[in-house]
């Protein structure tokens, strides 16, 4: 059999429909992505504003405005400047570990995330020195860690399994909307001397208010209620979110999973058990690969990057607005297609598209600047071609590794390890986001146009990994996900028969219902 396993769209089907209540609930919860997206977009914008650089990073400002001999690739290489950007992600890593405790629940984690993000935005907007900037960034990071830990799990638990992919990707859509809004605001605020950067940074209070208020009005998920012993409320809530009265099968399976999870006293230690090997592998490698697509190089530093390759100040910010808009619209493609075409198709198609674009951009920048990095501003047609290929690259990420990097980990973990495993997923994501953000400008200075080839290499590696080791999870209820791993050509040997739903009967059902379906 080719590398892969059987798609278990068979197995058990739970009744339910996509009700207006669930749709509204999931959209409100997904707005938690706004804070993450706004921060990604705003960081690169303010670090390209002359007023901001002159006040907080005068050495970088002097290098950019006065020292014309500086290598184009090295203009923004500053440890302090990158620490401003990347300090947030270490804080997010730490808070995601705290948010993994079951006692907090999804709603309370979202509430903490909104409050902490609001405090960080306020301090940054009023900042008088670099220390205040970094303290504010750390608080923003705590807020993002709580939100990114809880929102994807909330969406996966609340959504009917047939629509889980599309509803979960609304989280990624809100991230892209946050990036776009930040880029648009940067473009206009950059014209307000000595005030624009404060408005950009302080503006983060608005998405913080949205997630804070949202967390107060959102209902708990039935899974979370059952975990905390509220079974009567849970079955009423399950009937409401599924829009049907016959929810006993799904309710009983969630209760059974919850009972099993309560037997697990040390979920962190349990993650090391052999039967959780595929889950742990995905919790680590998917977020690692997501960061090494190179997307944050584009989104963090889009204005800086465009400035480096010859765009003027406002032109570089407008180019960032364009890539942000592409990001939003391409994410909508993923919302439409993820439950139709499947996760693996989008992963693999996106990987091929990103690889081609990164190689082309490397060639274009290398031809113009060479190794020395000295050149006049790019001709207009040349700059347009570079931006065009960057937009094609962004669109590929936005319908593949962007949303699926959050969706797939949130839907594959069994309840007994779900919070701990999601915490690892977020922590690894934040850790490597920190690493890439911290070293990007230095790598740009030393690798030059080869930086794009560096990330292109990782795109090849991650696409190969998906092809060989990631089974299709489209249309599979979360409680039945162990069947997918058992049917996989490699991971099946790690999953014991007695861990399958209904003592392995579902395995045979999954095979019989999918005799002609294989996944590579």
């Amino acid at each position: 059999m080719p590398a892969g396993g059987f798609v278990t769209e068979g197995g058990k089907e739970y009744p339910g429909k996509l009700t207006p209540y669930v749709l509204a609930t999931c959209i409100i919860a997904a707005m938690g992505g706004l804070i993450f997206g706004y921060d990604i977009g705003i960081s690169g914008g303010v670090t390209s504003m002359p007023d901001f650089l002159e006040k907080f990073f005068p050495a970088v400002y002097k290098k950019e405005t006065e020292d014309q001999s500086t290598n184009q690739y090295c203009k923004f290489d500053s440890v302090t400047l990158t620490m401003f950007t990347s300090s947030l992600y270490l804080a997010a890593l730490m808070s995601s570990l705290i948010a993994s405790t079951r006692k907090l629940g999804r709603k309370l984690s979202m509430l903490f995330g909104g409050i902490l993000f609001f405090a960080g935005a306020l301090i940054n907007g009023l900042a008088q020195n670099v220390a205040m900037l970094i303290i504010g960034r750390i608080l923003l990071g705590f807020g993002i860690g709580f939100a990114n830990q809880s929102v994807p799990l909330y969406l996966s638990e609340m959504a009917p399994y047939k629509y889980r992919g599309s509803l979960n990707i609304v989280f990624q859509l809100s991230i892209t909307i946050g990036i776009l809004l930040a880029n648009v605001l940067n473009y206009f605020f950059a014209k307000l001397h000595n005030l624009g950067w404060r408005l950009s940074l302080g503006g983060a209070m608005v998405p913080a208010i949205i997630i804070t208020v949202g967390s107060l009005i959102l209902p708990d998920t039935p899974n979370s209620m059952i975990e905390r012993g509220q079974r009567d409320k849970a079955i009423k809530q399950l009937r409401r979110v599924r829009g049907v009265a016959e929810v006993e099968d799904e309710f009983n399976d969630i209760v059974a999973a919850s009972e099993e999870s309560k037997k697990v006293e040390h979920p962190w230690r349990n993650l090391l058990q052999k039967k959780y090997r595929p889950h742990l592998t995905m919790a680590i490698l998917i977020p690692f690969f997501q960061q090494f697509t190179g997307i944050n190089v584009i989104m963090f530093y889009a204005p800086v990057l465009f400035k480096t390759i010859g765009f003027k100040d406002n032109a570089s910010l407008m180019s960032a607005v364009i890539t942000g808009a592409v990001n939003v619209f391409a994410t909508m493609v993923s919302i439409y297609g993820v439950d139709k075409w499947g996760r693996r198709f989008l992963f693999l198609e996106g990987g091929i598209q990103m690889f081609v674009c990164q190689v082309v951009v490397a060639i274009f920048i290398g031809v113009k600047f060479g190794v020395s990095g000295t050149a006049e501003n790019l001709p207009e047609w040349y700059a347009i071609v570079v931006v065009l290929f960057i937009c094609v690259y962004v669109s590929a990420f936005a319908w593949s590794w962007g949303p699926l990097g959050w969706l797939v980990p949130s839907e594959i973990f069994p309840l007994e390890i779900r919070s701990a495993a999601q915490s690892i997923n977020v922590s690894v994501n934040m850790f490597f986001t920190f690493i890439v953000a911290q070293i990007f400008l230095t790598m740009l200075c030393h690798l030059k146009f080869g930086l794009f080839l560096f990330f292109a290499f990782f795109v090849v590696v991650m696409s190969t990994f998906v092809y060989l080791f990631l089974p299709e999870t489209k249309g599979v209820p979360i409680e039945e996900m162990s069947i997918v791993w058992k049917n996989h050509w490699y991971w099946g040997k790690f999953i014991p028969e007695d861990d399958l739903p209904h003592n392995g009967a579902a395995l045979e059902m999954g095979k019989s219902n999918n005799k002609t379906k294989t996944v590579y």
Side-chain angles (χ1 to χ4, degrees), residues 495-507:
I495 310 298
E497 292 282 347
D498 57 6
D499 253 42
L500 297 174
H502 324 300
N503 296 321
L507 176 63

Side-chain angles (χ1 to χ4, degrees), residues 393-459:
Y393 162 82
V394 168
S395 67
F397 176 85
W399 62 54
S400 62
W401 279 93
L404 300 181
W406 294 106
L407 166 62
V408 172
S410 74
E411 67 182 0
I412 63 173
F413 304 135
L415 188 60
E416 65 268 21
I417 61 165
R418 190 169 298 159
S419 290
Q422 177 68 2
S423 180
I424 288 179
N425 177 53
V426 175
S427 298
V428 172
N429 192 301
M430 292 300 123
F431 176 74
F432 284 104
T433 303
F434 166 79
I435 293 296
V436 171
Q438 188 65 25
I439 66 175
F440 162 65
L441 292 176
T442 301
M443 288 176 69
L444 178 63
C445 183
H446 291 88
L447 292 180
K448 304 172 175 63
F449 62 87
L451 181 61
F452 290 93
L453 299 179
F454 171 83
F455 288 116
F457 165 76
F458 276 99
V459 170

Side-chain angles (χ1 to χ4, degrees), residues 72 79 145 155 171 173 194 228 344 353 375 393-394 498 508:
Q72 286 284 99
V79 173
L155 295 172
F171 173 66
L173 179 64
N194 297 319
R228 298 201 304 278
R344 284 170 52 84
Q353 191 171 319
Y393 162 82
V394 168
D498 57 6
E508 296 305 317

Side-chain angles (χ1 to χ4, degrees), residues 285-319:
L285 288 184
I286 287 179
F288 167 78
F289 284 141
Q290 188 190 49
Q291 295 314 308
F292 277 83
T293 56
I295 187 63
N296 283 342
V297 170
I298 300 296
M299 289 305 177
F300 281 163
Y301 297 108
V304 171
L305 185 64
F306 287 130
K307 226 172 170 182
T308 298
I309 60 177
F311 288 71
K312 296 290 193 296
D313 291 359
N314 281 347
S316 69
L317 289 171
M318 178 51 72
S319 299

Side-chain angles (χ1 to χ4, degrees), residues 198-248:
R198 290 193 184 277
L199 293 175
S200 287
L201 293 176
M205 289 186 287
V206 176
I209 291 171
I210 292 174
I211 185 176
T212 302
V213 174
S215 68
L216 294 173
I217 63 176
L218 285 173
D220 248 331
T221 69
N223 308 60
S224 189
M225 289 178 175
I226 290 170
E227 268 195 280
R228 298 201 304 278
Q230 302 169 356
R231 293 194 182 182
D232 291 339
K233 289 183 179 179
I235 195 165
K236 291 178 183 177
Q237 178 67 352
L238 190 59
R239 288 191 178 111
R240 187 177 186 190
V241 300
R242 295 295 177 256
V244 294
E246 301 81 19
V247 297
E248 282 73 16

Side-chain angles (χ1 to χ4, degrees), residues 33-332:
L34 280 176
I35 64 175
F36 192 25
Y38 187 90
D39 179 78
I40 290 172
I42 221 70
S43 301
V46 296
T47 53
S48 71
M49 293 182 186
D51 294 335
F52 179 81
L53 291 175
E54 186 177 18
K55 181 173 180 63
F56 296 105
F57 307 100
V60 176
Y61 177 77
K62 183 177 180 181
K63 193 190 297 184
E64 184 192 358
T65 57
E66 298 176 17
D67 188 0
Q68 299 302 317
S69 64
T70 300
N71 187 308
Q72 286 284 99
Y73 296 116
C74 300
K75 287 197 300 184
F76 294 91
D77 186 16
S78 163
V79 173
T80 314
L81 180 60
T82 50
M83 181 56 74
F84 159 73
T85 301
S86 58
S87 57
L88 176 148
Y89 300 99
L90 282 183
L93 187 160
M94 290 185 283
S95 65
S96 67
L97 297 176
I98 299 169
S100 68
T101 176
R102 299 177 190 174
K103 294 179 181 178
L104 277 181
R106 318 300 182 221
K107 282 186 57 175
L108 201 53
S109 291
M110 282 188 253
L111 177 62
F112 285 163
I115 293 171
L116 290 167
F117 197 86
F118 182 90
L122 181 64
I123 291 173
N124 271 352
L126 299 174
Q128 299 298 319
N129 50 52
V130 174
M132 282 187 72
L133 279 180
I134 292 179
I135 290 170
R137 293 286 292 171
I138 289 171
L139 288 173
L140 292 175
F142 283 138
I144 286 173
F146 275 103
N148 286 6
Q149 159 73 14
S150 53
V151 172
L153 291 181
Y154 183 94
L155 295 172
S156 286
E157 292 177 351
M158 186 65 77
Y161 72 92
K162 292 180 181 178
Y163 305 100
R164 187 178 63 238
S166 297
L167 290 176
N168 199 294
I169 289 175
V170 177
F171 173 66
Q172 176 68 17
L173 179 64
S174 74
I175 292 177
T176 63
I177 291 172
I179 293 171
L180 176 60
L181 289 174
N183 288 334
V184 171
L185 292 176
N186 280 337
Y187 178 74
F188 289 106
F189 288 159
K191 300 173 184 179
L192 304 176
H193 296 296
N194 297 319
L195 180 63
W197 64 266
R198 290 193 184 277
L199 293 175
S200 287
L201 293 176
M205 289 186 287
V206 176
I209 291 171
I210 292 174
I211 185 176
T212 302
V213 174
S215 68
L216 294 173
I217 63 176
L218 285 173
D220 248 331
T221 69
N223 308 60
S224 189
M225 289 178 175
I226 290 170
E227 268 195 280
R228 298 201 304 278
Q230 302 169 356
R231 293 194 182 182
D232 291 339
K233 289 183 179 179
I235 195 165
K236 291 178 183 177
Q237 178 67 352
L238 190 59
R239 288 191 178 111
R240 187 177 186 190
V241 300
R242 295 295 177 256
V244 294
E246 301 81 19
V247 297
E248 282 73 16
D249 278 354
E250 184 175 4
F251 179 76
N252 290 334
D253 283 348
I254 297 173
V255 169
S258 178
E259 291 300 319
E260 286 298 312
S261 74
K262 288 177 181 176
K263 297 176 185 176
V264 179
E265 295 182 5
H266 305 287
W268 291 94
R269 190 185 306 164
N270 268 48
L271 275 169
L272 300 177
Q273 290 183 18
K274 182 180 177 181
K275 64 180 180 179
Y276 298 128
R277 196 72 46 81
H279 312 83
L280 183 60
T281 301
M282 297 302 162
I284 293 172
L285 288 184
I286 287 179
F288 167 78
F289 284 141
Q290 188 190 49
Q291 295 314 308
F292 277 83
T293 56
I295 187 63
N296 283 342
V297 170
I298 300 296
M299 289 305 177
F300 281 163
Y301 297 108
V304 171
L305 185 64
F306 287 130
K307 226 172 170 182
T308 298
I309 60 177
F311 288 71
K312 296 290 193 296
D313 291 359
N314 281 347
S316 69
L317 289 171
M318 178 51 72
S319 299
V321 170
I322 292 169
T323 56
V326 169
N327 201 10
V328 171
F329 288 114
T331 303
M332 293 179 183

